[in-house]
Amino acid sequence: MTAQLVHPARVLLDAQGGARRLPVCDHYSGVEARMRKSLQLQAEMLQEFGACVFDVTLDCEDGAPVGQELAHARLVASLANGAVAATPGVRVAARVHAADHAAFQQDMDIIAGESGESLCHIMVPKVESVDDVLAAEKALQRASGKRIPLHVLIESPAAVHRAFDIAAHPLVQSISFGLMDFVSAHGGAIPASAMTAQGQFEHPLVVRAKLEIAAACHAHGKVPSHCVVTEFRNPQALEACAQKAARELGYTRMWSIHPDQIRPILRAFAPAADEVRQAAQILTSAAVQNWAPISLDGVLHDRASYRYFWQLLERAHQTGQALPDAVQPWFAPEPTH
């Protein structure tokens, strides 16, 4: 039996595993010119890598000028539809206003109603509890009837406390951490230094919140998405932060707020080339044995380790790495019928 005949995802992943297959970078933009440039860059990098290596989230919450929420929502819907029609395979999302904002239902009606087929997900900010998720689900049902995945942004200590309940909702696909609002919510008890590239990995309350969100996501098979690094003119600092988020805190995705941040995030979340080669060797050997246990170089492997190495290969694919020839058929586009 060859790698072409058996797909690891059918053998190794449970129902929770599919949610983890998201691009490792989520790029946000809200000003019209920047939204258009972000979508153009996404299309160009799709051609470069042969896969969509980052999402573009068109932002209504911070992007819409006060009083122009309606026009901005229509613009976001139009841009999403145009991008997906022009370049099949791109991933476009939208961030709406918070559930208690006057423009929330309007955002959902327009964006989900007019571009629901084009969106990979909708981001809901300032989620405090499952009640906010239920409100978003109800608004989504009213707008389109389509079960578009929800990504939620947790920004307060109370919301962090409820992270496990929020992650358990079946429509929630990913949880993001809102660093600056979280720090501000402590009334000065956390210093401003905790919002910096270095300080956010040192202050105990911030680190605890990040770990709680990551743990909640992994407990329910959802994707933990790390917060922004605002020092966007320092790619080395950004890449170091992304490496810490991925290797120490359990995050599998991260926000970008500037095009220069995208490639450093991809590099930081990508597995090393020797890890990719090892994973390919182990999995192709296992496929030949119908996924029974094998011994390779004196080390025993079974489905527990196969699952790990399959997810490593998925992450390599998500970050645009070249894969060994033997495993490339596993990542070929599924045929359309």
Side-chain angles (χ1 to χ4, degrees), residues 142-203:
R142 168 183 141 169
S144 72
K146 181 177 172 59
R147 286 182 65 82
I148 303 170
L150 294 178
H151 291 200
V152 302
L153 182 59
I154 285 180
E155 306 179 62
S156 75
V160 170
H161 176 70
R162 303 179 185 116
F164 280 80
D165 292 335
I166 293 169
H169 191 284
L171 206 56
V172 171
Q173 188 180 57
S174 175
I175 298 180
S176 297
F177 176 53
L179 171 65
M180 289 174 281
D181 281 288
F182 178 81
V183 171
S184 299
H186 284 76
I190 300 177
S193 60
M195 294 186 284
T196 64
Q198 181 176 348
Q200 65 177 282
F201 291 95
E202 295 176 346
H203 195 282

Side-chain angles (χ1 to χ4, degrees), residues 22-58:
L22 292 178
V24 302
C25 181
D26 190 7
H27 179 67
Y28 278 72
S29 55
V31 177
E32 181 176 358
R34 293 173 185 167
M35 290 192 289
R36 293 184 183 278
K37 288 181 179 179
S38 297
L39 294 169
Q40 180 182 355
L41 178 61
Q42 184 185 53
E44 292 170 355
M45 290 181 68
L46 174 63
Q47 296 300 315
E48 176 185 350
F49 290 109
C52 190
V53 293
F54 68 97
D55 289 351
V56 170
T57 298
L58 306 176

